[in-house]
Amino acid sequence: MSLRKHAGQPSLPFGEGWLPTPARPVRSKSKLMFVLKPSTPMGLIMHGDAMHHAANQNTRDAYPAHLLHMSLLCMEQFDEPPMALIEATRMVAATLHARPVPVTLDSSGLFGGKRHLALYRAKGNPVVNQFAQMLRSALSRHNLPSYRMADATPHVTLIYGCGRIETMPVERNYAWIAGEFMLVYSHYGETRHEEFGRWSFDPNAPAYPALPQQLRMPI
């Protein structure tokens, strides 16, 4: 089955044209997305701190430690895993040659319309953004869909749908070096990720481009 659009086929947003059948008028919120996940020890620490913070404030449970993730980009929302798109995406992901990605989280805030409690870095995680752009460019070159998450700041959500809650004090940075990235299908309402691929970063890959520095005027 060819994955390229036929002449005259309408252009649909965010990859609907890749579905084997026409998109339904009402779609679920299940997402196919690329993510970074913290190491197991770091995930358990973040989960434990979130549970402690929310114990007397909220009735929502903290997100399970093994599902904590930082979203890089989303391939769209689907009613079921789009296998043709997944296979094409896997082939592109396997061609990427990038260094491990350092991640630091030093602040907490409310994301998603102030509905979700999340960790982020106040000064941003520029290397995360650089790798996400590398991934997005590779997908675009192969005419595959992708779009940035609504909350563009790289973050890890600790509690979903928590409503009114105080932000969580961060007494120490949560930091790790991501050695791999993953393609997962997040089943809406099931608290479950179905993994469709993971790829290791290469420490010997070319360095990420240096960020432009602010020009200084000679005194």
Side-chain angles (χ1 to χ4, degrees):
M1 183 175 97
S2 174
L3 287 174
R4 289 197 172 275
K5 297 180 180 179
H6 298 292
Q9 181 180 349
S11 178
L12 299 175
F14 308 134
E16 292 176 15
W18 295 92
L19 289 169
T21 56
R24 300 175 186 176
V26 178
R27 294 177 298 160
S28 70
K29 296 182 179 180
S30 295
K31 296 178 180 178
L32 179 66
M33 57 188 181
F34 281 99
V35 301
L36 302 177
K37 289 196 173 186
S39 65
T40 298
M42 181 56 63
L44 290 171
I45 291 172
M46 290 192 288
H47 174 77
D49 289 349
M51 290 285 288
H52 177 75
H53 174 70
N56 298 317
Q57 295 192 63
N58 201 272
T59 58
R60 298 301 297 268
D61 290 334
Y63 207 49
H66 70 285
L67 296 181
L68 291 175
H69 63 278
M70 176 175 283
S71 300
L72 295 170
L73 53 82
C74 183
M75 301 291 292
E76 236 307 14
Q77 299 177 2
F78 301 94
D79 292 317
E80 60 185 24
M83 297 310 300
L85 174 59
I86 287 170
E87 288 305 313
T89 301
R90 283 166 49 88
M91 288 190 290
V92 173
T95 67
L96 290 181
H97 192 51
R99 286 192 178 187
V101 175
V103 180
T104 299
L105 307 170
D106 60 14
S107 306
S108 75
L110 297 178
F111 284 68
K114 297 186 176 181
R115 293 175 292 121
H116 314 312
L117 179 67
L119 295 170
Y120 68 101
R121 186 183 182 214
K123 293 184 178 180
N125 277 281
V127 177
V128 173
N129 290 330
Q130 285 180 298
F131 175 68
Q133 182 56 50
M134 178 188 298
L135 178 56
R136 192 177 187 188
S137 296
L139 293 170
S140 296
R141 286 195 299 270
H142 290 80
N143 197 28
L144 295 174
S146 67
Y147 68 97
R148 297 181 68 184
M149 310 305 288
D151 293 307
T153 301
H155 62 277
V156 174
T157 300
L158 299 176
I159 307 175
Y160 286 86
C162 54
R164 299 186 64 178
I165 189 172
E166 295 294 325
T167 55
M168 188 175 80
V170 178
E171 298 178 354
R172 62 186 184 280
N173 290 351
Y174 302 93
W176 74 94
I177 296 178
E180 61 185 11
F181 63 104
M182 302 170 61
L183 178 66
V184 301
Y185 187 81
S186 179
H187 290 265
Y188 179 69
E190 298 183 29
T191 316
R192 177 168 69 96
H193 285 173
E194 185 173 356
E195 182 182 327
F196 282 103
R198 64 172 66 196
W199 299 268
S200 296
F201 291 112
D202 181 1
N204 297 316
Y208 292 98
L211 296 175
Q213 300 293 324
Q214 183 177 3
L215 293 177
R216 295 185 178 183
M217 299 298 292
I219 300 177

